[in-house]
Amino acid sequence: MSDALQASAIFAAVERAMRGQPIIDMHTHLYPPTFGTPDPNTGGKIDASGMLLWGSDELLTYHYLVAEVYRVVPASRLPYAEFWKMSKPQQADHIWKHLFQERSPISEACRGVLTTIQKLGLDPTDTPESWRNHFAQQDASAHIDTVMRIANVTSITMTNAVFDDNERNRWLANKNVGSDPRFTAVLRIDPILRDYPMAAKKMSEWGYNVQPEIGQPSIEEARRFLRDWLDRTQGIYVAVSLPPEFRYPAEGSDPVAGAGQTMLDQVVLPVCAERGLPFAMMIGSRLKVNPELRDGGDAEAKADIVSLQNLCRQFPKNKFFVTMLARENQHELAVTARKFGNLMVFGCWWFLNNPSLIDEITRMRMELLGTSFIPQHSDARVLDQLIYKWEHSRQLIGKVLADKYADLHSAGWPITTKAIERDVKLLVHDNFINFLKI
C-alpha cells in the first residue's frame, strides 16, 4: 500500500491521533455549575454543599493526597480530627509542604497536580497562594470550557446518586439542573442492591409503595421509581459500586444480599433492558477500611468473576459495563469479555490509575480483545483533574498502541494513518457510543 507508514513513523502518527481525538469521558464525579460549588473563588453565592469541585485547593486536598500525607505526617502527630478542622487552604498548604517541598512529588497523585497546573499555564514551582489568586479570577462555567479544551474532552458523564439527599433535592428544585449540554447523567442506585431496607424506607417516604418485605407491589413500585428518575435525569446508563464480596447468585442466608439480588433480577435489569440502557458495575471497593480518612479510607480486594459470568449468561438481553478494582481480577475480566458480547470492559479504576498498571492492563486487554474495550475513564472528582488524567492516559495508551502496530508491521501488515485514527477513535470515543446504541 502506497500510504502505508514506515516503522519509524508509526509512533509519531499514533501520538498525533491520540492528541487530536476528542474524548468522551464515560465516568466522572463532576457536575455543571447548576449543581452548586463550595469554592468561594467563583464570585457567586457560596454553596457549602455544592457538588462542582475545582481549583488548586481542591486538587491538593484530593483524598488520594490526604491519604498520602498521612504516610509522612501520621495521626500521632496530627490527629485526623485536627486535620478536618482546618480550612481548605490550610489543608492544601499542609499537603504542599509535606508532599511537595520536603520530598520529591513522585507519586502519580502528586505528579497529577503539577501536570494540571502546568497545562493551565501556571508555574508548578510557584506557591498554592499564587495559584489561588489565579483561580479567584475565573468563572466556573468558563473554566469548565477551558479545562475541556485543554483535555480535549467533549462530553463529561456525571454520577448522579439518587439516594443522596443533596443531589436528589437539586433535581427536584430545578428541572433544568441537568440541562448543561457538556454533561450527561448516569443514575447511581447503590442502596437498592447494597442496603435494600434503607432504600425501601426512602422510596416509601418519597411516595412509592415499596415495603421492607419484597412482593410484587414493591417490585412494580421500585420499577416505577427507576423509570421516573431515568426520565428526570435522562440517564444514559444505570450504575452501582459493589464490594468484593458481591456474589451472583447470592450466597448464604444474608437477607440484605438476598433482597439485593431480587431487586437486581426483577427491578434493575428488567428496567435497563426495557430502556436499552447498559448496567455499569464497578466491583471491588472495600469501604471505610480507615474511616478517619473519610473518602481516602477505602481499599480494594479481589472480586468474584464467576458472578459476572453468571449475570452475562443469564441476562443476554442486558448490556454490562464493568470495571474491577483489583489488579488480580484484570486477566479474568478480559477473558470473560471474550466470551460475552454484552460485556464492555472499561477503565483502569481508582488504585489502578497508575502508569505502570495502566500500561500492563492496556497491553493485556489489547492482546486479548483487540480494540473492543474502553481503555480509560477519568473518575475525576475535581474538574481540573481531567487535564492530567487524560494527558497521562493518552501517552500511556498511545505507547501501547504504537507497540502493537510495530508488531503488526513486523508481521507484514500495512499500518496507515487512516487506520490509526480509526482505532484511536474507537478506543476513546466510539466504543462507548456504540455500546450505548446496540
Side-chain angles (χ1 to χ4, degrees), residues 83-121:
F83 177 83
W84 296 118
K85 287 178 183 177
M86 292 180 180
S87 68
K88 187 75 69 169
Q90 287 173 333
Q91 292 174 356
D93 289 343
H94 173 75
I95 289 170
W96 176 256
K97 176 178 185 284
H98 292 285
L99 295 186
F100 292 80
Q101 292 185 307
E102 295 186 349
R103 63 199 67 234
S104 296
I106 289 172
S107 74
E108 180 66 2
C110 286
R111 175 190 171 216
V113 173
L114 301 178
T115 296
T116 301
I117 291 298
Q118 183 184 57
K119 291 292 181 180
L120 284 168

Side-chain angles (χ1 to χ4, degrees), residues 282-404:
M282 295 167 281
I283 310 173
S285 57
R286 179 159 283 155
L287 303 182
K288 298 181 179 179
V289 170
N290 181 357
E292 300 271 23
L293 282 171
R294 298 188 181 180
D295 287 346
D298 299 342
E300 57 84 22
K302 189 175 186 294
D304 179 53
I305 202 73
V306 174
S307 295
L308 175 60
Q309 295 167 354
N310 292 341
L311 280 167
C312 290
R313 183 175 60 251
Q314 187 163 327
F315 295 92
K317 294 182 180 180
N318 281 94
K319 300 177 288 185
F320 298 92
F321 282 128
V322 176
T323 193
M324 287 183 158
L325 191 51
R327 179 189 185 193
E328 294 81 3
N329 277 128
Q330 301 311 311
H331 182 251
E332 293 177 305
L333 178 59
V335 170
T336 297
R338 288 176 58 89
K339 312 305 172 187
F340 296 99
N342 60 339
L343 169 59
M344 176 61 73
V345 175
F346 74 94
C348 295
W349 178 34
W350 207 341
F351 304 114
L352 298 177
N353 191 40
N354 288 300
S356 60
L357 296 177
I358 294 171
D359 181 275
E360 170 191 313
I361 292 165
T362 304
R363 287 180 188 277
M364 180 267 295
R365 287 174 176 171
M366 283 190 184
E367 290 162 3
L368 283 170
L369 303 174
T371 60
S372 66
F373 66 102
I374 299 168
Q376 192 56 298
H377 63 281
S378 75
D379 201 25
R381 291 178 180 267
V382 179
L383 171 69
D384 309 271
Q385 291 174 335
L386 287 177
I387 295 173
Y388 94 77
K389 293 205 175 189
W390 285 113
E391 173 70 18
H392 295 180
S393 288
R394 283 180 194 269
Q395 295 173 9
L396 292 161
I397 297 165
K399 185 177 187 303
V400 174
L401 191 57
D403 287 348
K404 295 306 168 189

Side-chain angles (χ1 to χ4, degrees), residues 156-370:
I156 299 171
T157 310
M158 300 181 281
T159 296
N160 303 106
V162 66
F163 286 91
D164 176 75
D165 288 336
N166 180 27
E167 170 147 358
R168 178 177 177 275
N169 290 336
R170 294 175 187 276
W171 286 98
L172 294 176
N174 178 5
K175 67 179 180 180
N176 295 316
V177 70
S179 62
D180 191 315
R182 298 170 292 188
F183 293 79
T184 54
V186 163
L187 194 64
R188 182 76 172 260
I189 49 91
D190 291 23
I192 291 180
L193 303 188
R194 298 186 65 162
D195 189 357
Y196 174 74
M198 184 274 275
K201 183 176 183 293
K202 287 278 192 180
M203 287 187 280
S204 178
E205 291 172 355
W206 297 334
Y208 297 87
N209 185 24
V210 179
Q211 302 300 318
E213 296 297 326
I214 302 176
Q216 195 59 37
S218 292
I219 289 169
E220 292 299 333
E221 283 291 276
R223 288 177 180 175
R224 183 168 72 89
F225 170 80
L226 284 187
R227 293 183 186 116
D228 285 351
W229 276 92
L230 285 169
D231 290 341
R232 178 175 284 113
T233 62
Q234 293 298 295
I236 57 174
Y237 62 86
V238 177
V240 65
S241 176
L242 294 166
E245 293 81 13
F246 170 74
R247 296 292 183 272
Y248 187 89
E251 297 178 347
S253 57
D254 181 354
V256 174
Q261 179 174 319
T262 300
M263 287 289 107
L264 180 62
D265 287 349
Q266 300 191 40
V267 175
V268 176
L269 292 179
V271 171
C272 286
E274 167 190 298
R275 296 291 182 100
L277 300 177
F279 180 54
M281 295 186 292
M282 295 167 281
I283 310 173
S285 57
R286 179 159 283 155
L287 303 182
K288 298 181 179 179
V289 170
N290 181 357
E292 300 271 23
L293 282 171
R294 298 188 181 180
D295 287 346
D298 299 342
E300 57 84 22
K302 189 175 186 294
D304 179 53
I305 202 73
V306 174
S307 295
L308 175 60
Q309 295 167 354
N310 292 341
L311 280 167
C312 290
R313 183 175 60 251
Q314 187 163 327
F315 295 92
K317 294 182 180 180
N318 281 94
K319 300 177 288 185
F320 298 92
F321 282 128
V322 176
T323 193
M324 287 183 158
L325 191 51
R327 179 189 185 193
E328 294 81 3
N329 277 128
Q330 301 311 311
H331 182 251
E332 293 177 305
L333 178 59
V335 170
T336 297
R338 288 176 58 89
K339 312 305 172 187
F340 296 99
N342 60 339
L343 169 59
M344 176 61 73
V345 175
F346 74 94
C348 295
W349 178 34
W350 207 341
F351 304 114
L352 298 177
N353 191 40
N354 288 300
S356 60
L357 296 177
I358 294 171
D359 181 275
E360 170 191 313
I361 292 165
T362 304
R363 287 180 188 277
M364 180 267 295
R365 287 174 176 171
M366 283 190 184
E367 290 162 3
L368 283 170
L369 303 174

Side-chain angles (χ1 to χ4, degrees), residues 114-124 126 131 134-135 143 146 149-150 387:
L114 301 178
T115 296
T116 301
I117 291 298
Q118 183 184 57
K119 291 292 181 180
L120 284 168
L122 303 174
D123 184 351
D126 216 331
W131 301 342
H134 167 80
F135 286 104
H143 189 60
T146 297
R149 174 182 55 78
I150 294 172
I387 295 173

Side-chain angles (χ1 to χ4, degrees), residues 133-154:
N133 293 333
H134 167 80
F135 286 104
Q137 301 171 37
Q138 310 305 311
D139 170 77
S141 186
H143 189 60
I144 292 172
D145 288 337
T146 297
V147 169
M148 292 179 72
R149 174 182 55 78
I150 294 172
N152 200 7
V153 169
T154 58

Side-chain angles (χ1 to χ4, degrees), residues 3-21 398 401-402 405 415-422 424:
D3 57 348
L5 297 170
Q6 297 296 315
S8 59
I10 289 174
F11 183 85
V14 172
E15 186 177 38
R16 285 193 301 272
M18 288 298 305
R19 291 203 172 276
Q21 175 57 52
L401 191 57
Y405 286 137
I415 307 300
T416 67
T417 298
K418 184 177 180 180
I420 291 171
E421 292 173 346
R422 175 202 61 204
V424 168

